[in-house]
Amino acid sequence: MSSRARVLVLNSALGPLDYRVPHGMVVEPGSIVIAPLGPRQLLGVVWEPERMPSDAEVGDNRLRNLVGVADVPPLADPLRRLVEWTADYYLAPPASVVRMAMPSSSALEGARTVTEYRATGLVPDRMTPQREQALERIGDRQGLIRELAIAADVSDAVIRGLVKTGAVEAVEVDIDSPYPLPDPEFGQPALSADQRAASEVLVANVQARAFQPTLLDGVTGSGKTEVYFEAIAAAIREGRQTLVLLPEIALTEPFLQRFTARFGCEPVAWHSGLRSSQRRRAWRAISSGQALVTVGARSALFLPYANLGLIVVDEAHETSFKQEEGVHYHARDVAVMRGLFEPCPVILASATPAIETRQQVALGRYAELKLPGRWGAAEMPAIEAIDLIAEPPERGRWIAPRLVRAMEETLERREQVLLFLNRRGFAPLTLCRTCGHRFQCPNCTAWMVEHRLVRRLACHHCGHIEQVPRDCPECQNEDTLVPVGPGVERIADEVAALFPDAKTAVVTSDTIWSPAKAAEFVHRMEAHDIDIVVGTQLVTKGYHFPNLTLVGVIDADLGLNGGDLRAAERTFQQIMQVSGRAGRGAKPGHVYIQTHSPSAPVMRALITGDAEAFYEAETESRREAGAPPFGRFAGIVVSSEDKAAAHEIALLIGRSAPRVEGMEVYGPAPAPLAMLRGRHRQRLLVHARRALDVQDVIRDWLGKLDWPSKVRVTIDIDPYSFV
């Protein structure tokens, strides 16, 4: 037994370090240990030295002792291989990747109970504005003092003061109680012949316990969830774990309801909204194998499952699976790699699969299962275009007359309407009609978006907020500020003017920021407490409302501008998804798409329903351009608070670009968002042929360069965002 251990400490600035294993302590690769670093103690993971070379090897006599080893199972071999692959492919420090697999330190402690706090309903005698704000925002939340303070946007002292007055009380929470076990026989569905055939293939894959990626391609409402639930049931019967990845936290609510109806209890949830006691309980149950089904956002992919039998990526085409900060990984692709290392089957479920996924099917690397029709009596909705040039809305309005008439008829039948516009707030731009002054964010090259509901101007990139002034800051004229263009709030105002008796709900990430808010929205829709929904892409997927029969797309051209290689594909996916919300029950659905260019290939494909022709043309143009999946891109973003420093280092990187056959480097140029959160940004784009190991080239190229610490260089392999 070696007395040395190579430890990957959770500090991205440091490489792996060597420590002495004190007499009597037993560690193995994957053991989670506490390691001293200077005066501090850090969490780390023991790694195989041959797989994690260290630049800082020292003699045995200079090694420091490990402080302790955590009483949790070691990170298993397949997860360590996944960490290495992710770090290597996305050019990220291994410590940044392994941090995603690690629990909060509370999960490593042995305590079985924790003290949390909740409001009692008592109002303290001495009420301050901060106490009032705290009690209003805490509502029925429960959590540590720190968690409640963050939720209420007050200091810890305010919450402690409320505890003393009796307005907030302490509760003991048992944090390691086991989760209820899902029952595969609980609510067995009646499947159609197509669904049964697909589910049998997926069940056989689970039973084979081998890596098999499968695209489950079915139109919206075809019952993909019911089909992959049968594969989950097969994994449960074998006592193996399943991971279901969803693109948005707001989608978990409808999924949890369907899961509970099928399996008799909720799955284990993993997302950023969990309290630390909930994270601890989930992490420990996952690492011990007790949690049989986990549903989560991207980060759930790196959890230490003890016995993984199946991975499902739902809405697998969704761009929100791409992480845009920290480690720039794509959860769909990393999920497939996790399936390879475990090994277990991976199901990618989508009504509008990404071209990259379709290409893997064409190459024979992924299997494909198709569900061609909607389940039961439901029919696909009829889709019509409204040419905004030939049939413009009335002056100052955004909804065309034909769509207004369709809304009237739908409401008369007591059915529900969804209006879709992928733009939060009231107006995307506010300007002065006298001098033309435009409100721009001081930290970003972006316009401030007006939000009428909270009477604020907000930047959607950095979160900067300002009051809407009465007069123009430039020319000081009063009442000359006008909103330009529509956001969802403006459409909601127009709906209220047209249909004053209808109950309207605005659904965006500003109004639905938690699973509880999503649950409330679902409940109101099902109780027909909402007649008209005005929403962004948050409402385009996963929801099933049988009484929703009309969908209106306010500005279908919105996603087509900007230099994004996937703009047409993304627009097609979004509008197909939002169309899929119409007519999901026995009542037929209708979709109207308002556009200035009804003859554009995307619009034609949507109206004729000819997805294949659209995908063929789009795939062909990507092939000609050598764009993914036929070529490779990597973005290099240089940023600094000092504009000259960012420019200088970007030029240095550009000048020292290697000459490699089959690779071009474009730039540097100011990024489209040339300033973000107060940092000036320059971009370079690397374009390479498919077979080139572009990571090795970039590692070699940037490894020879130095730049000051105030400059940040971020590499984005397979970028989705080009801003």
Side-chain angles (χ1 to χ4, degrees), residues 315-568:
E315 309 287 355
H317 61 280
E318 265 297 312
T319 50
S320 50
F321 278 127
K322 175 78 166 145
Q323 169 102 354
E324 295 292 358
E325 276 156 10
V327 182
H328 286 246
Y329 69 96
H330 197 304
R332 175 197 66 210
D333 300 344
V334 179
V336 172
M337 292 308 295
R338 179 134 203 197
L340 175 68
F341 291 128
E342 283 292 344
C344 71
V346 181
I347 300 169
L348 306 177
S350 173
T352 51
I355 287 174
E356 287 84 346
T357 306
R358 296 169 69 95
Q359 181 62 12
Q360 295 285 15
V361 170
L363 293 171
R365 291 179 188 154
Y366 294 4
E368 182 179 36
L369 292 170
K370 277 188 177 291
L371 293 173
R374 279 200 158 176
W375 196 83
E379 293 284 323
M380 288 303 286
I383 301 181
E384 285 181 45
I386 296 176
D387 183 343
L388 290 172
I389 296 166
E391 302 178 56
E394 289 173 29
R395 189 176 167 77
R397 291 275 168 94
W398 306 95
I399 308 175
R402 188 164 18 137
L403 179 51
V404 174
R405 285 196 299 277
M407 291 172 73
E408 286 168 354
E409 290 162 12
T410 306
L411 293 173
E412 276 169 18
R413 293 196 301 270
R414 298 203 35 72
E415 292 165 6
Q416 291 162 311
V417 176
L418 164 61
L419 297 181
F420 168 70
L421 175 66
N422 208 16
R423 207 186 248 151
R424 289 153 52 202
F426 182 83
L429 171 64
T430 299
L431 55 77
C432 170
R433 73 163 84 90
T434 308
C435 72
H437 172 78
R438 298 173 168 207
F439 284 85
Q440 189 170 341
C441 174
N443 311 317
C444 310
T445 31
W447 306 122
M448 299 287 280
V449 177
E450 183 180 343
H451 286 248
R452 280 277 162 98
L453 298 177
V454 289
R455 296 196 295 284
R456 295 269 197 287
L457 293 168
C459 171
H460 287 171
H461 299 286
C462 73
H464 175 78
I465 289 175
E466 293 175 11
Q467 293 278 351
V468 183
R470 278 186 60 89
D471 41 22
C472 171
E474 190 99 359
C475 68
Q476 272 71 51
N477 277 330
E478 232 182 276
D479 296 329
T480 59
L481 301 179
V482 288
V484 178
V488 284
E489 292 176 14
R490 191 171 202 167
I491 301 301
D493 278 4
E494 186 174 331
V495 166
L498 287 166
F499 304 102
D501 298 334
K503 293 178 190 159
T504 305
V506 174
V507 176
T508 73
S509 55
D510 297 318
T511 60
I512 295 202
W513 63 82
S514 69
K517 285 279 175 194
E520 184 189 323
F521 163 63
V522 170
H523 182 72
R524 285 186 62 204
M525 280 295 283
E526 287 172 347
H528 207 129
D529 189 29
I530 299 173
D531 300 306
I532 301 170
V533 181
V534 183
T536 59
Q537 53 95 23
L538 198 65
V539 81
T540 61
K541 46 198 175 282
Y543 292 109
H544 175 80
F545 302 124
N547 208 34
L548 176 66
T549 58
L550 176 67
V551 169
V553 179
I554 299 298
D555 183 355
D557 312 325
L558 187 58
L560 290 174
N561 39 32
D564 180 358
L565 111 104
R566 297 181 178 83

Side-chain angles (χ1 to χ4, degrees), residues 182 206 228-245 255 259 263 267-270 285-286 289-296 300-301 303 305-313 338 344-347:
V206 169
Y228 72 67
F229 273 179
E230 293 312 293
I232 294 175
I236 294 168
R237 287 186 189 105
E238 298 193 358
R240 302 182 76 208
Q241 293 170 293
T242 297
L243 163 63
V244 182
L245 288 179
F255 177 86
F259 187 92
F263 295 107
V268 177
W270 183 271
I286 286 164
Q290 194 271 320
L292 284 181
V293 183
T294 304
V295 57
L301 189 51
L303 293 172
Y305 301 94
N307 186 8
L308 198 54
L310 174 66
I311 301 171
V312 180
V313 184
R338 179 134 203 197
C344 71
V346 181
I347 300 169

Side-chain angles (χ1 to χ4, degrees), residues 279-294:
R279 289 178 91 77
R280 175 205 151 103
R281 182 183 174 207
W283 194 91
R284 288 181 77 101
I286 286 164
S287 67
S288 70
Q290 194 271 320
L292 284 181
V293 183
T294 304

Side-chain angles (χ1 to χ4, degrees), residues 169-309:
E169 66 180 357
V171 265
E172 283 289 294
V173 180
D174 179 5
I175 42 183
D176 277 349
S177 55
Y179 287 94
L181 293 178
D183 175 3
E185 320 307 328
F186 180 80
Q188 291 187 323
L191 298 179
S192 68
D194 286 336
Q195 287 175 318
R196 174 157 291 105
S199 70
E200 282 167 2
V201 174
L202 297 176
V203 166
N205 289 346
V206 169
Q207 290 166 344
R209 300 192 173 210
F211 171 59
Q212 172 59 67
T214 304
L215 169 62
L216 180 59
D217 178 359
V219 298
T220 52
S222 58
K224 294 183 289 296
T225 310
E226 284 69 25
V227 169
Y228 72 67
F229 273 179
E230 293 312 293
I232 294 175
I236 294 168
R237 287 186 189 105
E238 298 193 358
R240 302 182 76 208
Q241 293 170 293
T242 297
L243 163 63
V244 182
L245 288 179
L246 296 176
E248 311 243 8
I249 180 175
L251 281 185
T252 41
E253 194 49 45
F255 177 86
L256 295 180
Q257 287 186 355
R258 292 170 80 172
F259 187 92
T260 307
R262 171 65 182 86
F263 295 107
C265 68
E266 287 200 348
V268 177
W270 183 271
H271 51 71
S272 56
L274 296 180
R275 313 196 300 268
S276 78
S277 59
Q278 293 172 315
R279 289 178 91 77
R280 175 205 151 103
R281 182 183 174 207
W283 194 91
R284 288 181 77 101
I286 286 164
S287 67
S288 70
Q290 194 271 320
L292 284 181
V293 183
T294 304
V295 57
R298 287 184 300 252
S299 56
L301 189 51
F302 289 93
L303 293 172
Y305 301 94
N307 186 8
L308 198 54

